Amino acid sequence: MPILLALDASSSACSAALLSRRDGHADELISRFALTPREHTRRLLPMVDEVLAEAGLAASALDAVAYGRGPGSFTGLRIAAGVAQGLAFGLDRPMVGVSTLEALALGGHRRHHYRRLITALDARMGEIYVAAWQCRDGRVLPLSQEAVMPPSRLCLPDLEDSAQGDADWVGIGSGWNLREQMSVEVQAGLGLCLPEVEAEAADMALLAMEALARGEARPAHEVQPVYLRDQVAWQKSR
């Protein structure tokens, strides 16, 4: 029965989630989420204590620790990575880094059944972090590489099945506050825009559990946040 703790502080939100998975049983997911700008350091560890207490578990019961690896707020990413790393070192457990953009996509799919999403975060300095996804049956499939770019350079991926009645895109994340700087084509192809939605550790826990099953966990000393600043091109995923 793998038990995994996920932490995120990549945005103005702060969250923690505990996921327990047993063969033949439904997942048990316990989470905390709060919009706490500039209070991540103070709020994150109490959230960890709360989800463990609700599950009736000690930290030693964890099999792995996951964290929002970015992209996102530089300070927030360092806080989440540092707390997660400290727990993993102390418990001698592996770590799993989870994409903030992918977690946003999974959240939109799980809660609202959106299938085509472009997740974007405000990267400051006139740029956005962005990626496109197609979601089916609880799975998130990348349609592009994660990138950082000016909003004006964003374009919609071409999809072969766009004539099947599911062509509209959903934009999720703070990067869509810059929608007016995007092209007419992007704005016209967007069926819904949700710039207020933040990534949540609950979705990261689900993604991290799959990564753990695939053997993608790493020793704590190997993990680091992802900032994307050196990647500027929008490329289709191969």
Side-chain angles (χ1 to χ4, degrees), residues 152-171:
S152 59
R153 291 188 55 188
L154 178 63
C155 58
L156 301 178
D158 294 325
L159 294 181
E160 295 178 358
D161 60 345
S162 60
Q164 296 182 6
D166 187 27
D168 283 347
W169 291 91
V170 175

Side-chain angles (χ1 to χ4, degrees), residues 2-194:
I3 301 174
L4 181 146
L5 176 72
L7 311 175
D8 182 57
S10 59
S11 65
S12 58
C14 180
S15 56
L18 185 71
L19 176 62
S20 301
R21 176 164 292 176
R22 292 183 293 169
D23 292 338
H25 294 77
D27 288 349
E28 181 180 359
L29 181 61
I30 300 169
S31 64
R32 296 290 187 275
F33 175 90
L35 291 172
T36 56
R38 296 177 295 279
E39 294 186 7
H40 295 12
T41 302
R42 185 174 67 85
R43 295 295 300 274
L44 198 54
L45 279 173
M47 284 183 173
V48 171
D49 292 337
E50 288 177 17
V51 296
L52 287 170
E54 184 173 333
L57 296 173
S60 58
L62 298 174
D63 293 292
V65 181
Y67 71 104
R69 63 167 174 77
S73 158
F74 289 4
T75 301
L77 293 179
R78 289 195 295 268
I79 290 170
V83 172
Q85 220 164 18
L87 288 168
F89 270 127
L91 298 168
D92 192 23
R93 299 293 190 270
M95 294 183 66
V96 181
V98 179
S99 163
T100 313
L101 294 172
E102 186 175 6
L104 277 169
L106 180 61
H109 180 56
R110 283 205 311 130
R111 295 173 183 83
H112 305 289
H113 309 292
Y114 302 140
R115 294 186 60 190
R116 294 181 180 169
L117 303 103
I118 297 181
T119 54
L121 297 170
D122 189 344
R124 309 301 180 186
M125 297 187 289
E127 294 181 318
I128 56 173
Y129 301 120
V130 63
W133 314 87
Q134 185 155 0
C135 305
R136 291 178 179 171
D137 304 321
R139 301 281 181 175
V140 181
L141 306 174
L143 296 175
S144 72
Q145 294 181 354
E146 298 183 357
V148 58
M149 66 179 69
S152 59
R153 291 188 55 188
L154 178 63
C155 58
L156 301 178
D158 294 325
L159 294 181
E160 295 178 358
D161 60 345
S162 60
Q164 296 182 6
D166 187 27
D168 283 347
W169 291 91
V170 175
I172 293 182
S174 61
W176 291 100
N177 285 317
L178 305 177
R179 181 181 178 183
E180 292 184 357
Q181 300 179 33
M182 298 176 189
S183 69
V184 173
E185 290 76 15
V186 168
Q187 296 187 48
L190 204 65
L192 184 64
C193 186
L194 301 169

